[in-house]
Amino acid sequence: MLTRVSVALAAALSLLALSPASAADNYQVKDGNGTVMTIKSKDVGSGVQSPQFVPSDASGNVLTGTAGAPSTGALTVQGLAGGTPQPADTVVRATATSRSTVIPVAGVSAAVSAGGTGHAVGDVLTQTGGTCTVQPRWTVATVASGAVATVTLNAAGSCTVLATAPVATTSSGSGTGATLTPAYASIPTQVMAANPGRRGFQIQPQGLPAYLSGLATASADQASLKLPADALYESLPQHVGTGAISVVGTAGLPLPVYAREY
């Protein structure tokens, strides 16, 4: 009888030794949605260790699913000895959010097209027309018999649609009839705010080249990434910057920008 018990006990211990066992948690990672991924080392037999990924929500509840029925926001993968790939029972999902905008321009200089009458040095001329959050303004620098001869920049303004030149103006004084042909420069504009949960993004300057930066305010030089007109830039799948993203145009014209964040 004792011999039979010993044999049975030995067989049971042998089966336990062959059963895969999970080691203690090695480390955890958390994504922007609060999903926690615990990575363990699992003995799959014959001394072979295989990684085991165990996702859980922000409260520590393990996320589970069945093949073809994904659990939202998590990816689980179980490796096996020999490196045989296994189907994932959950998938990462992300919804794109439109960040499309128009990069505005600001006035930098202006030539006088028509001087008008009744103007005086120091009068302020404000542009009219177009679509501007603030219209560019110009200070009358010199006059000739009441007609504006030259102007200097008073306020650069910000416009996404430009009025056709020559541009009509209104005056802070009694003068009338002055028109200008302004020159503009692109205003560096934040297209996306910093987002720790960002999984990816796309940017496309439409019709004109542009510069893109995810490190600082975009500038039209080697410190920013230059994008040709109509080129689509998409973030790399293995590395996505989460800082603020800004864009600046290279021409003195408003720049439509297609942008998606997910």
Side-chain angles (χ1 to χ4, degrees), residues 71-87:
S71 299
T72 303
L75 173 66
T76 61
V77 178
Q78 173 62 59
L80 289 179
T84 304
Q86 298 297 300

Side-chain angles (χ1 to χ4, degrees), residues 187-233:
I187 301 174
T189 302
Q190 180 176 290
V191 176
M192 300 178 198
N195 180 5
R198 181 184 298 142
R199 296 178 182 273
F201 66 91
Q202 296 176 326
I203 297 282
Q204 182 190 50
Q206 299 184 340
L208 296 167
Y211 283 85
L212 163 72
S213 178
L215 299 176
T217 301
S219 54
D221 55 30
Q222 72 279 4
S224 299
L225 175 67
K226 186 175 183 179
L227 301 177
D230 301 317
L232 177 65
Y233 175 82

Side-chain angles (χ1 to χ4, degrees), residues 156-208:
S158 177
C159 301
T160 54
V161 177
L162 298 179
T164 302
V167 179
T169 65
T170 59
S171 176
S172 63
S174 57
T176 59
T179 61
L180 305 173
T181 300
Y184 303 92
S186 184
I187 301 174
T189 302
Q190 180 176 290
V191 176
M192 300 178 198
N195 180 5
R198 181 184 298 142
R199 296 178 182 273
F201 66 91
Q202 296 176 326
I203 297 282
Q204 182 190 50
Q206 299 184 340
L208 296 167

Side-chain angles (χ1 to χ4, degrees), residues 73-205:
L75 173 66
T76 61
V77 178
Q78 173 62 59
L80 289 179
T84 304
Q86 298 297 300
D89 66 357
T90 57
V91 296
V92 175
R93 297 178 181 272
T95 301
T97 300
S98 175
R99 305 297 186 196
S100 297
T101 189
V102 176
I103 308 301
V105 295
V108 292
S109 64
V112 177
S113 299
T117 59
H119 296 282
V121 172
D123 287 349
V124 176
L125 306 180
T126 301
Q127 290 182 203
T128 62
T131 302
C132 305
T133 53
V134 177
Q135 286 280 4
R137 298 194 300 271
W138 309 90
T139 300
V140 176
T142 60
V143 296
S145 301
V148 177
T150 60
V151 296
T152 57
L153 182 65
N154 178 280
S158 177
C159 301
T160 54
V161 177
L162 298 179
T164 302
V167 179
T169 65
T170 59
S171 176
S172 63
S174 57
T176 59
T179 61
L180 305 173
T181 300
Y184 303 92
S186 184
I187 301 174
T189 302
Q190 180 176 290
V191 176
M192 300 178 198
N195 180 5
R198 181 184 298 142
R199 296 178 182 273
F201 66 91
Q202 296 176 326
I203 297 282
Q204 182 190 50

